[in-house]
């Protein structure tokens, strides 16, 4: 957790090798270019497909930093975070609101960022996994997840932790059973649920 | 997902005017159903009208002793509302039995019946895929959850909020209300 491969050591990797994200992005660009007549621009591509281009300005505060974005209205909060703000800690899992990997806090409430358009959140305060640690100190839930080994592959973990922050803020869960019920929107395919519940109980001060 | 024009309604009259201006316009509130269906190209609105800032988020007592629930009251706010918890605990339990807390924090009370999501499972098992326009004109399903489909009236205003669930897919959110 402390040495996140995507964030640390990035300089060496980015200069020596293209990252996975860069390769995927480059391949997508190439495939679009092949389908276009030479010299065609993005604008002409839109006119060929018959669609009209719309873009919307939106101001959001993410982890305390204000961002002024101009977005295609189809952009979900998840894609805005990952593709426009390079905050890739929030994960895209099912992209259908089932798995909870994309959970973030908007104005203090946990939501699935894959099922809401960014343009709907003008003026919102968004907190992602990157915004939980303060001054180099891990959030109590991040520390609790480490203490209890509450993950294996780690893909669901940012969503689990953001969801647990929301859970504690809601103040509705007292027992382990209630924690399990109210965390049911976060799927962990590794099956670390027992340790996740223990970590949340520790962070709630009920270990 | 096809591209669409985004508009934010400033008040109820503005929302009605915007939705009436374009036949394929849709309201968006919580978005948990609509965006899901838009991603699969089941719903293809050319204009999406954001009504989330309208003042429809209150749970109020009515003179007759009942409650009036605003269309934009989110599922979790509804379930945790003191009046609902005290007087309608079964409703609170029913809301909490559906979806996940993240979805309940988004989903609106009004959007839920309008999108007729609950009818998906019963209808798709009994008949093949139908277009959204045909679904709107179709008689009530023989399924157990005909929902609002049978009571929709063909008025200009209701045309835009009439249930038009035409998902070909089995309901992948079996716990969703």
């Amino acid at each position: 957790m402390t040495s996140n491969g995507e964030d640390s050591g990035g300089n060496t990797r980015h200069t020596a090798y293209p990252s996975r994200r860069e390769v995927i992005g480059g391949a997508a660009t190439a495939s679009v270019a092949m389908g276009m007549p030479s010299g065609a621009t993005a604008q002409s591509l839109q006119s060929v497909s018959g669609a009209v281009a719309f873009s919307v300005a939106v101001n959001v505060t993410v982890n305390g930093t204000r961002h002024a974005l101009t977005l295609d209205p189809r952009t979900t909060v998840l894609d805005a975070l990952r593709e426009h703000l390079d905050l890739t800690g929030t994960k895209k899992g099912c992209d259908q609101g089932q798995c909870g990997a994309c959970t973030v806090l908007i104005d203090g409430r946990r939501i699935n960022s894959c099922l809401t358009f960014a343009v709907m959140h003008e003026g919102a305060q968004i907190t992602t996994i990157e915004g939980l640690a303060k001054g180099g100190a891990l959030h109590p839930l991040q520390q609790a997840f480490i203490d209890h080994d509450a993950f294996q592959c780690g893909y669901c973990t940012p969503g689990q932790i953001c969801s647990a922050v929301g859970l504690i803020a809601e103040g509705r869960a007292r027992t382990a059973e209630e924690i399990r019920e109210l965390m049911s929107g976060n799927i962990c395919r590794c099956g670390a649920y027992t340790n996740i519940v223990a970590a949340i109980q520790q962070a709630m001060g009920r270990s | 997902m096809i591209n669409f024009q985004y508009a934010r309604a400033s008040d109820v009259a503005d929302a009605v005017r915007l939705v009436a201006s374009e036949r394929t316009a849709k309201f968006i509130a919580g978005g948990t159903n609509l965006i899901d269906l838009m991603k699969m190209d089941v719903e293809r609105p050319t204009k999406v009208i954001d009504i989330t800032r309208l003042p429809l988020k209150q749970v109020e007592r009515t003179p007759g002793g009942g409650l009036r629930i605003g269309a934009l009251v989110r599922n979790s706010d509804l379930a945790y509302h003191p009046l609902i918890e005290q007087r309608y605990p079964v409703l609170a339990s029913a809301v909490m039995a559906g979806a996940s807390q993240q979805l309940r924090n988004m989903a609106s009370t009004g959007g839920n019946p309008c999108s007729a999501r609950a009818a998906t499972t019963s209808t798709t098992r009994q008949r093949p895929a139908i277009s959204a326009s045909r679904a709107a004109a179709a008689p009530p399903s023989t399924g157990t959850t005909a929902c609002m489909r049978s009571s929709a009236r063909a008025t200009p205003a209701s045309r835009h909020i009439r249930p038009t669930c035409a998902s070909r897919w089995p309901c992948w959110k079996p716990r969703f209300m």
Side-chain angles (χ1 to χ4, degrees), chain A residues 51-54 56-57 72-74 76 95-98 100 103 109-117 119-123 159 163 170 172 181-182 184-186, chain B residues 1-6 8 28-32 35-36 38-40 46 48 50 52-53 74 76-77 80 85 96 99-106 172-173 175:
Chain A
V52 182
F54 302 110
V56 181
D72 184 315
R74 289 172 289 187
T76 60
D95 211 21
Q96 293 183 335
Q98 282 190 102
T103 302
R109 297 168 67 116
R110 50 178 165 153
I111 55 106
N112 294 124
S113 63
C114 70
L115 281 186
T116 188
F117 293 125
V119 294
M120 295 168 66
H121 297 282
E122 170 67 32
S163 189
E170 289 156 12
R172 291 279 171 164
E181 173 60 32
L182 289 172
S184 65
N186 292 82
Chain B
M1 191 187 305
I2 65 165
N3 208 345
F4 59 83
Q5 188 182 356
Y6 171 81
R8 190 177 295 140
I28 190 166
T32 55
I35 295 175
D36 211 2
M38 286 170 71
K39 285 183 178 185
M40 295 189 299
T46 55
V48 172
D50 181 355
T52 53
R53 294 174 193 240
R74 287 180 279 200
S76 53
D77 289 338
Y80 292 153
E85 284 190 320
M96 292 302 290
S100 67
Q101 189 68 1
Q102 288 98 316
L103 289 169
R104 290 190 293 263
N105 277 341
M106 306 164 80
W172 59 95
K173 289 176 192 156
R175 296 185 61 231

Side-chain angles (χ1 to χ4, degrees), chain A residues 37 96 106 178:
Chain A
Q96 293 183 335
I106 296 188
E178 288 168 340

